[in-house]
Amino acid sequence: MAFDGILLRQVTKQLKQLETGRISKIYLISQYELLIHIRSYNKNYKLIISIHPSYARIHLTSLSYPTPDFPNALTMHLRKHLEGSFIESIEQIELNRLIHCVIKGRNEFKDLRTYHIYIEIMGKHSNFILTDDKRKIIECLKRVSPSESRRILQPGIHYVLPPMIKKHNPYTEEYIVSDNLVQVYEGFSKELSQEVIYRMNQGISFKEIMNTLDNSQSLYITRTIHKDYYHIIPLTFLNCPYESYLLNEGLDIYYDDLDQKDRIKQQTNDLARYIKNEYTKNINKLNKLKKTLFDSENSDDYRIKGDLLYASLHLIQKGMKRITVENYYDNSLLTIDLDPKLDGKANANKYYNKYQKAKNSLKVLNKQIHLTEEEISYFDSLNTLISQADYYDALEIKEELGKLGYIHKKKKNTLKPKNKEPHYTSYQTKDNIIIYVGKNNIQNDYLTFKKAKRNDMWFHVKDMPGSHVIVHSENLDEYTIRLAAKIAAYYSKGRLSSSVPVNYTLIKTLKKPGGNKPGLVLLNQYKTIYIDPDNEFLKEVTKK
């Protein structure tokens, strides 16, 4: 992995500015990540600590991470011990991927307490461990039981550092010839080893390279066809262009996209599966209802059999299982099944009852078919929306399903979270026109019926699920109309199609149907444009 001990050494230098700082807030933003707000030297900092199996790291961040409205038990436990405490020291343990922090704070009795935090950046074994002054574990982000490892990490257990292989320190010792520096020196990753050997083959000395590493405050990201790499010096052995950033900024940029994808996956996997299952369930239900409707619409067969049995009562005896009679409706012979427990008259009445029941069910069946078709349309739209959702969009889709009673809503704290505007997307065109895009039904309703002005223009694909697109401007030119239509087609079920029809009209012509699910509108007058969707529009707009 690229987040090696050499890189962590430079990150630790940056973290030194947090010493004497006060921990003001702690958030557990996922099962793998802690976000800690720290006030130090009259400045606010945000520290991200991740123990993700693939993206474990620690660094200062300027990004805004989604935080839960209400803390869970683990968060409350960490807050109890750490919030309001001061950071006394932050040290890297040799050149290993281990950080040791000493924290000074007071307990609930105002007694001064010393805490130790150990942050282990070790791939799938990464962890965050909080201990008391005697190194007894108070809590850890990932508990490890005896059945999982010989190194137990559980509250109440004495903390022991992970086993470490003794290697040479590349900053203080002379160069040792090797074709794999990972095996010789502390803090080296495979990529750094390859880069150092490559540079030495170019005539640069080992000491000079280590000085460059020691003085680096930057991160260099190299993007190849298959994978992106980074380190605190350019990885020139890859022979690919690289981008240069300040260290923490570069880590933000590199991991932000990975984190977003992972959060979206965590949030949407079960949700997407639920939506797909509901859609399939309603498709199957509709097929059964239509079959029942067909049978009901052809229920005259029951009446005919009842008529023929009444006409043939003299031929029917109790105990008979079937009888063949002349069908005077078409002059053919017809075999009719009988209930052997009933006489002829009772069997005839049984067929009349079936006929009457089928007739009465037609109204109910048609109503059920209409409701089921609405459900199919609704979950079809959610299928489209969830496939294009980011983390916040998915949360709002989940909230919508909870409000409509489809999924169970967890009981929340009686304290109400702040009323927040839905997390819609905004673009600005080269003409400084703002375009709003709703990526779920909550956002669509908000933008169309609350955010938009009467003379704004509304765009939506015709007869298929998609986003509501609002252009906040009047008297649009052809370029802006085509651009907005392209956005509407791109954020729709027709994304991969060509010549997608997009309706557009003024907001003031729209009406919201009463008693329907969110995201639906009634169109009175509109125009239609046909457009080929693609993501080229992203080059013509700026995301707000």
Side-chain angles (χ1 to χ4, degrees):
M1 75 180 273
F3 204 96
D4 56 25
I6 298 291
L7 189 148
L8 184 58
R9 183 173 185 265
Q10 301 308 106
V11 170
T12 306
K13 290 179 183 179
Q14 303 266 340
L15 298 182
K16 285 289 185 180
Q17 59 194 310
L18 301 181
E19 290 182 344
T20 74
R22 179 179 179 272
I23 297 173
S24 55
K25 206 69 178 176
I26 297 176
Y27 297 98
L28 185 64
I29 56 178
S30 77
Q31 61 176 319
Y32 298 120
E33 295 165 300
L34 275 175
L35 183 68
I36 303 178
H37 290 215
I38 299 162
R39 178 78 173 172
S40 182
Y41 297 104
N42 297 318
K43 191 175 178 181
N44 295 321
Y45 296 90
K46 289 186 289 185
L47 179 67
I48 183 74
I49 301 170
S50 172
I51 64 164
H52 192 284
S54 302
Y55 319 131
R57 68 198 186 280
I58 174 174
H59 62 93
L60 294 173
T61 180
S62 59
L63 296 177
S64 295
Y65 285 88
T67 56
D69 291 324
F70 304 102
N72 61 12
L74 177 58
T75 307
M76 294 300 291
H77 198 192
L78 293 176
R79 287 180 178 181
K80 172 186 173 183
H81 293 283
L82 297 178
E83 281 190 1
S85 299
F86 291 86
I87 300 171
E88 185 174 89
S89 65
I90 301 176
E91 303 289 344
Q92 182 183 13
I93 298 176
E94 297 178 353
L95 284 177
N96 293 294
R97 288 174 291 164
L98 290 167
I99 292 286
H100 173 217
C101 304
V102 179
I103 311 292
K104 296 284 188 179
R106 295 186 181 276
N107 61 16
E108 60 269 32
F109 303 110
K110 306 300 180 183
D111 298 325
L112 188 65
R113 296 288 302 272
T114 300
Y115 299 98
H116 296 267
I117 293 174
Y118 294 91
I119 300 157
E120 304 175 354
I121 311 295
M122 303 187 303
K124 66 180 182 180
H125 301 295
S126 300
N127 214 333
F128 172 96
I129 300 105
L130 172 66
T131 78
D132 62 16
D133 57 342
K134 295 182 175 59
R135 305 300 198 279
K136 185 182 287 186
I137 296 174
I138 296 171
E139 192 53 272
C140 43
L141 241 57
K142 184 164 56 181
R143 297 184 179 186
V144 181
S145 66
S147 62
E148 297 173 289
S149 172
R150 285 185 295 178
R151 183 169 177 256
I152 305 168
L153 295 173
Q154 296 276 351
I157 300 293
H158 185 77
Y159 175 77
V160 178
L161 288 170
M164 291 174 278
I165 301 170
K166 187 63 181 173
K167 298 179 185 178
H168 298 278
N169 187 322
Y171 289 102
T172 59
E173 299 183 39
E174 294 297 320
Y175 174 64
I176 299 170
V177 178
S178 174
D179 59 358
N180 186 357
L181 302 182
V182 176
Q183 298 176 353
V184 178
Y185 291 107
E186 293 177 339
F188 269 69
S189 60
K190 177 184 173 183
E191 291 83 6
L192 183 58
S193 172
Q194 290 174 288
E195 179 61 26
V196 171
I197 291 171
Y198 179 82
R199 291 191 180 208
M200 290 181 70
N201 289 336
Q202 306 297 314
I204 305 173
S205 71
F206 182 72
K207 185 175 182 181
E208 190 176 347
I209 297 169
M210 293 311 301
N211 282 337
T212 303
L213 287 164
D214 189 31
N215 294 319
S216 175
Q217 296 182 22
S218 301
L219 193 81
Y220 301 87
I221 300 175
T222 306
R223 304 191 188 277
T224 68
I225 296 174
H226 303 293
K227 188 180 177 182
D228 293 346
Y229 298 86
Y230 69 83
H231 217 287
I232 54 175
I233 56 173
L235 297 177
T236 55
F237 77 93
L238 293 169
N239 294 313
C240 290
Y242 58 82
E243 303 158 5
S244 172
Y245 304 95
L246 291 175
L247 181 55
N248 293 315
E249 179 193 8
L251 290 169
D252 273 345
I253 289 169
Y254 182 85
Y255 283 106
D256 184 38
D257 188 47
L258 295 173
D259 281 345
Q260 282 286 344
K261 288 177 180 176
D262 192 64
R263 282 192 188 87
I264 292 167
K265 185 178 178 182
Q266 287 181 44
Q267 187 62 42
T268 62
N269 265 3
D270 290 343
L271 199 55
R273 194 179 303 114
Y274 172 81
I275 291 168
K276 185 178 179 180
N277 288 343
E278 286 296 307
Y279 177 79
T280 304
K281 183 177 79 175
N282 279 286
I283 288 287
N284 293 335
K285 181 181 177 181
L286 182 63
N287 290 334
K288 290 177 182 177
L289 286 170
K290 285 185 173 180
K291 183 180 181 303
T292 307
L293 179 66
F294 177 81
D295 292 341
S296 297
E297 288 174 336
N298 292 276
S299 59
D300 271 357
D301 182 53
Y302 295 136
R303 180 184 57 77
I304 290 170
K305 287 179 178 179
D307 289 348
L308 295 178
L309 287 177
Y310 257 108
S312 307
L313 288 177
H314 61 287
L315 300 175
I316 303 170
Q317 296 179 7
K318 207 170 186 179
M320 293 175 64
K321 293 184 178 180
R322 64 188 57 83
I323 187 172
T324 301
V325 298
E326 183 181 353
N327 184 354
Y328 49 77
Y329 287 100
D330 61 5
N331 297 318
S332 64
L333 292 177
L334 178 64
T335 300
I336 303 173
D337 290 329
L338 301 173
D339 186 339
K341 297 176 183 177
L342 305 176
D343 59 17
K345 190 175 180 179
N347 269 293
N349 285 332
K350 188 174 181 180
Y351 277 104
Y352 283 136
N353 288 336
K354 284 184 178 181
Y355 167 69
Q356 195 60 46
K357 186 177 179 182
K359 271 186 67 178
N360 293 339
S361 68
L362 284 174
K363 187 176 180 180
V364 175
L365 281 169
N366 281 312
K367 183 179 179 181
Q368 285 297 313
I369 286 172
H370 175 70
L371 292 173
T372 305
E373 286 174 339
E374 283 188 342
E375 291 289 281
I376 289 169
S377 176
Y378 176 65
F379 282 103
D380 187 30
S381 71
L382 290 187
N383 263 325
T384 300
L385 294 169
I386 198 71
S387 69
Q388 301 173 10
D390 66 15
Y391 176 81
Y392 296 99
D393 300 331
L395 280 180
E396 287 171 352
I397 291 172
K398 193 172 185 178
E399 178 188 341
E400 177 187 328
L401 287 168
K403 285 181 178 177
L404 293 174
Y406 287 105
I407 58 177
H408 178 67
K409 289 175 70 176
K410 290 182 180 178
K411 287 186 178 179
K412 291 190 175 181
N413 198 305
T414 52
L415 293 173
K416 292 184 179 179
K418 295 177 181 177
N419 291 326
K420 294 179 181 177
E421 196 178 40
H423 190 77
Y424 56 85
T425 301
S426 301
Y427 295 111
Q428 184 172 332
T429 72
K430 63 182 183 181
D431 300 319
N432 295 322
I433 294 173
I434 304 299
I435 299 177
Y436 302 120
V437 182
K439 292 169 68 181
N440 58 47
N441 291 322
I442 289 176
Q443 294 174 22
N444 286 341
D445 270 7
Y446 176 80
L447 290 175
T448 301
F449 297 107
K450 291 186 179 180
K451 181 78 175 176
K453 307 297 182 185
R454 282 175 53 79
N455 290 317
D456 288 349
M457 194 68 78
W458 179 89
F459 291 76
H460 192 281
V461 287
K462 184 177 182 179
D463 299 331
M464 68 177 79
S467 294
H468 291 203
V469 174
I470 313 295
V471 182
H472 185 49
S473 181
E474 299 181 26
N475 303 318
L476 305 184
D477 58 18
E478 184 181 351
Y479 168 78
T480 307
I481 290 173
R482 292 188 65 82
L483 177 62
K486 189 175 284 189
I487 294 173
Y490 182 77
Y491 289 111
S492 77
K493 193 175 182 179
R495 174 186 279 200
L496 302 178
S497 304
S498 60
S499 195
V500 175
V502 178
N503 295 334
Y504 63 101
T505 186
L506 292 173
I507 287 291
K508 64 184 178 184
T509 68
L510 299 174
K511 290 184 179 179
K512 184 171 177 61
N516 279 285
K517 291 185 172 63
L520 297 176
V521 299
L522 293 176
L523 288 172
N524 185 17
Q525 48 186 313
Y526 58 90
K527 295 179 181 178
T528 303
I529 184 173
Y530 290 82
I531 207 86
D532 293 331
D534 57 52
N535 61 0
E536 289 297 308
F537 76 86
L538 292 170
K539 298 177 182 178
E540 303 176 51
V541 296
T542 304
K543 195 169 184 180
K544 297 285 287 179

